Amino acid sequence: MGQDRRTIVPNDGIREGLIPVWPTIFIQRLIPEHEAPTASLIGFVLEMDWKTESLTTQYRNDLFTSGHRAVQWLHQWINQGLEDYFKWLGAAYRVEGAVQGWPNINRPGSC
């Protein structure tokens, strides 16, 4: 059986791309050199949590406006995923919009 033209399966066997999981499209990416930005994001979010009461419920504060280098790195990857999604849908035009994000820290016993 042939491979769906919209997904990529690299040599390590991990499927990448936009994967239809009815009725949702699941986007999965293997991001190169993610270790340092990920560690920086974790430190940044933990510091925000330490300084801000009820951080995870303050969704009106857009994380992507923070200017933090690792947050901007993440934002670029999210935007790339959205661009890939609209291409996958067959949109023959540039889609413009904005994405808002906020940190959410889940702890054992929290709802």
Side-chain angles (χ1 to χ4, degrees):
M1 188 166 20
Q3 178 179 325
D4 185 327
R5 66 177 173 79
R6 295 178 244 182
T7 62
I8 301 166
V9 180
N11 291 336
D12 59 10
I14 297 174
R15 187 174 175 185
E16 285 191 77
L18 286 93
I19 304 161
V21 181
W22 186 89
T24 303
I25 303 301
F26 180 76
I27 300 174
Q28 179 171 291
R29 293 281 187 249
L30 297 175
I31 301 174
E33 302 177 15
H34 64 86
E35 293 86 357
T38 299
S40 182
L41 278 169
I42 290 169
F44 180 64
V45 170
L46 289 174
E47 183 179 338
M48 288 176 67
D49 183 53
W50 184 73
K51 292 179 179 179
T52 308
E53 186 176 339
S54 302
L55 176 68
T56 59
T57 61
Q58 295 185 10
Y59 57 88
R60 294 180 189 202
N61 298 329
D62 186 1
L63 178 68
F64 296 132
T65 62
S66 72
H68 189 275
R69 187 172 164 176
V71 171
Q72 297 311 309
W73 169 87
L74 175 62
H75 195 199
Q76 285 180 290
W77 278 104
I78 290 169
N79 285 337
Q80 182 63 54
L82 290 170
E83 185 177 315
D84 292 347
Y85 171 71
F86 284 108
K87 284 180 185 175
W88 182 82
L89 286 175
Y93 50 87
R94 181 170 169 80
V95 177
E96 294 185 23
V99 175
Q100 178 183 347
W102 70 94
N104 183 1
I105 299 173
N106 294 313
R107 294 180 175 87
S110 65
C111 297

